[in-house]
Amino acid sequence: MTPHDNRAWLLVLPAMALLVVIGLLPLLAVVNYGFHDIFTLNDVHWVGLEWFADILGSDRFLASLGRSLLFSALALAVQVPLGIAVAMLLLGYRRRAVWGLMLCALPLVVPWNMIPMLWLGMIDRQSGLLGPGLDAVGFDHRFTAWHTWALILLMDTWHWLGLVVVLSYAGLSAIPQAFRQAAAIDGASRWAVFRHIELPRLGGALAIVLLLRFVDSFMIYTEAFAINAGGPQDATRFLSIELGEEIKGFSYGQAAARATLYFLIVLAVVWAFIVATRKGNDTA
Amino acid sequence: MIRALALLALAVFILLPLAQAVLLSLTVTLPRDGLAEGTMGLMNYAAVLATPELRAAMISSATYVILNVVLCIALGLPAAYALARFGFVGDRHVMLALLVFRVTPPVVLSLPIFILFSRLGLVNSPVGIALVHALFNLPVAIWILESFIRAVPRALDETAFLDGHSGPSFFFRHLVPAIAPGIGVAAFFCFIFAWVEVVFARILTVTAGKPITMAINAMFGFQTDLGMVMAMTCLSLVPGLAMIWLVRNHLARGFTLRA
């Protein structure tokens, strides 16, 4: 049992104080701005819920929300199973697996604004390594909507697969060998071992992977914008791209209302997720 | 056999875009200094290192990332120790708050952070960026350090205190060496999120202190010297590669959700 001691707060206090100043205060400010029309910081008018009603009532917002949700769903559906599969593959290599982990971690250290440049360079028609081949089969990320989607999804997978692999590998390698040996004696199939032994014990690692990948893909900006600026015909206009337009257009009140809504959406998903995992832990 | 082929495919998938960057960085893509387009060599790297703004950008990036890592470890260690060793009023809420801060999208906070930091005089300064990156790095650092401290038997604390060590001397003489790999892993994750981040780094550097990412953006123009851009990109990967190498044997510890 951990001893109860409220003096431990003194140790947590510095970290929490910093997070309150750089996180909570700006968050409260955003919510407050969302209720105002802001021309300059000295010329601010109360507009109540007007911005929120405008945004929630617009078809463009709903369409972007749908696109962002779809993108997150696709990203999770591709990256999580693939990442777990790679982690399991690496697990078989024991000590040499570290080379695989290092390989997978490579894209994580590439600056975000350079990732689309790398990919655009690779599929460039003249000089790209894949460009001439893709051109021959009629791939066109600029004018065909699903090609743009495929490119962004592939790039996002390239970028973030490493995080899924590293965290899944950590979860998998923490499972004592005795569990697998016992299953082997019982003659369990590879799938049964995964389904009944590995997957349940991967819980904590998978939870953080799912959450991080959800929020980061839901708010994808730098990379998606650089590929096709939301096109063709708004086919890749995600939520964050709309927010970026408003900030660039100096309509700060509306941008703040929009930011508040995004934060609430993310918060709702995280909350639902925690409630679900806690229930799962209680019944297990 | 199938496993080896799958790994090979993975390696190609991961390395191909990077190979493209390396290839371009070794090629002259704009005729300059009497060199014809298509000449191969290290000219782009020489050109990057000879440009004062690009050198300044590397120093600026390195400054705020190191500040951020130091800050996150310094504030994260005591907090992680408290969360790993004691129960206290609101401990679960602290964990939940950490999670909420970690998942708050940066773009949501960009405007008020800019206003707040310009009042505090932290715009254009590496200190400002280091502080704001703690928003998502401090929670991660606390999660990682907490799990490493939890894995150390409580007996370590007790014998140290029985031996007459005070709080600070216990921290530095016993706890820090015992969880050194954890500090490495925490530093690695703080490093990768701070080094590559773009949103805050852009809004907080209006006129000065531009980081590598913004310096690269500024290289795009009417006539972009793509070879130089890629040379700069490849150089920007070097610290990341070094970090991966340093923590390679501890990467597999990762971190898990605690809320």
Side-chain angles (χ1 to χ4, degrees):
Chain A
M1 249 338 268
T2 48
H4 197 88
D5 191 342
N6 280 330
R7 281 176 305 174
W9 256 110
L10 291 174
L11 298 174
V12 183
L13 209 58
M16 290 313 277
L18 177 65
L19 287 174
V20 164
V21 172
I22 59 171
L24 192 61
L25 290 184
L27 204 56
L28 294 176
V30 167
V31 176
N32 180 37
Y33 294 158
F35 292 104
H36 292 86
D37 196 355
I38 301 170
F39 296 104
T40 68
L41 284 177
N42 301 317
D43 188 6
V44 174
H45 298 277
W46 174 263
V47 293
L49 288 170
E50 201 178 297
W51 295 127
F52 291 93
D54 277 359
I55 296 168
L56 286 173
S58 82
D59 293 340
R60 277 168 82 82
F61 168 73
L62 293 177
S64 302
L65 177 63
R67 278 192 285 268
S68 282
L69 285 174
L70 178 64
F71 182 74
S72 285
L74 287 173
L76 287 173
V78 171
Q79 293 162 15
V80 173
L82 189 62
I84 296 176
V86 172
M88 293 186 44
L89 190 67
L90 290 177
L91 208 59
Y93 286 88
R94 295 168 200 284
R95 289 202 58 79
R96 277 175 300 155
V98 72
W99 292 97
L101 290 179
M102 287 198 288
L103 176 75
C104 294
L106 275 184
L108 292 174
V109 302
V110 182
W112 287 13
N113 56 342
M114 286 321 293
I115 288 175
M117 298 309 151
L118 294 185
W119 280 78
L120 288 175
M122 195 172 64
I123 62 168
D124 186 87
R125 279 178 193 178
Q126 273 98 45
S127 62
L129 289 170
L130 296 182
L134 284 171
D135 203 26
V137 296
F139 182 89
D140 189 340
H141 71 276
R142 248 161 287 167
F143 296 105
T144 314
W146 81 267
H147 289 173
T148 316
W149 271 77
L151 181 63
I152 296 178
L153 192 61
L154 199 63
M155 184 176 69
D156 193 63
T157 304
W158 181 80
H159 184 181
W160 289 109
L161 188 67
L163 189 70
V164 184
V165 171
V166 168
L167 297 184
S168 311
Y169 184 89
L172 285 171
S173 57
I175 301 172
Q177 272 304 320
F179 282 81
R180 294 198 183 87
Q181 285 156 0
I185 292 169
D186 289 344
S189 68
R190 187 70 194 82
W191 171 252
V193 171
F194 175 69
R195 173 68 191 81
H196 296 288
I197 293 176
E198 290 171 336
L199 195 57
R201 291 182 164 264
L202 212 49
L206 271 189
I208 194 74
V209 166
L210 289 171
L211 275 182
L212 290 184
R213 282 315 300 131
F214 167 74
V215 284
D216 290 344
S217 62
F218 191 65
M219 283 291 138
I220 183 168
Y221 180 77
T222 318
E223 295 144 287
F225 189 80
I227 291 292
N228 213 351
Q233 271 123 42
D234 290 351
T236 52
R237 239 178 94 94
F238 298 118
L239 289 175
S240 51
I241 292 180
E242 273 185 351
L243 182 59
E245 279 172 10
E246 267 168 13
I247 293 177
K248 278 181 207 154
F250 298 104
S251 67
Y252 291 139
Q254 197 173 6
R258 197 178 282 280
T260 306
L261 282 174
Y262 293 0
F263 177 69
L264 290 177
I265 296 171
V266 169
L267 203 59
V269 172
V270 170
W271 182 251
F273 189 83
I274 289 172
V275 170
T277 44
R278 277 192 187 153
K279 266 205 189 115
N281 287 342
D282 292 344
T283 52
Chain B
M1 185 62 199
I2 294 171
R3 289 203 314 186
L5 280 180
L7 274 186
L8 191 67
L10 180 74
V12 170
F13 173 60
I14 290 174
L15 292 176
L16 204 59
L18 296 171
Q20 176 78 68
V22 173
L23 201 63
L24 278 173
S25 75
L26 295 173
T27 316
V28 175
T29 52
L30 267 188
R32 125 176 80 80
D33 304 339
L35 293 163
E37 202 178 323
T39 319
M40 304 286 286
L42 291 171
M43 293 75 82
N44 288 319
Y45 289 93
V48 163
L49 293 176
T51 314
E53 297 94 70
L54 297 180
R55 281 206 309 264
M58 288 180 209
I59 291 170
S60 155
S61 273
T63 311
Y64 73 72
V65 170
I66 291 171
L67 276 177
N68 175 262
V69 170
V70 171
L71 183 74
C72 289
I73 303 287
L75 296 185
L77 255 181
Y81 181 74
L83 288 162
R85 287 291 196 247
F86 301 104
F88 49 90
V89 176
D91 50 358
R92 292 192 76 174
H93 297 96
V94 169
M95 279 298 194
L96 204 62
L98 291 180
L99 178 66
V100 171
F101 284 125
R102 174 58 187 82
V103 300
T104 304
V107 50
V108 165
L109 296 181
S110 52
L111 183 62
I113 290 261
F114 178 75
I115 294 170
L116 178 70
F117 278 40
S118 50
R119 289 218 177 124
L120 297 175
L122 289 172
V123 171
N124 296 336
S125 124
V127 179
I129 305 181
L131 281 176
V132 78
H133 281 173
L135 179 66
F136 39 86
N137 277 343
L138 192 51
V140 170
I142 293 177
W143 288 335
I144 297 173
L145 294 171
E146 197 253 14
S147 80
F148 274 85
I149 294 173
R150 201 175 275 270
V152 174
R154 193 178 294 275
L156 178 90
D157 306 22
E158 282 154 9
T159 44
F161 285 118
L162 283 181
D163 288 348
H165 279 289
S166 62
S169 121
F170 159 73
F171 245 85
F172 291 110
R173 296 252 182 100
H174 291 264
L175 189 69
V176 169
I179 60 158
I183 294 177
V185 174
F188 171 73
F189 279 102
C190 291
F191 171 87
I192 61 169
F193 287 124
W195 183 259
V196 300
E197 201 273 342
V198 178
V199 174
F200 285 133
R202 171 170 32 224
I203 59 156
L204 288 179
T205 52
V206 185
T207 52
K210 297 260 183 219
I212 287 185
T213 45
M214 291 306 108
I216 294 176
N217 266 2
M219 291 165 80
F220 284 90
F222 174 63
Q223 264 202 322
T224 306
D225 191 338
L226 206 56
M228 246 177 103
V229 171
M230 290 302 166
M232 185 72 180
T233 307
C234 291
L235 284 177
S236 78
L237 299 183
V238 173
L241 298 180
M243 284 297 285
I244 293 179
W245 182 255
L246 281 176
V247 297
R248 66 189 182 283
N249 289 322
H250 307 290
L251 261 187
R253 277 291 296 272
F255 55 93
T256 54
L257 176 70
R258 303 188 44 80

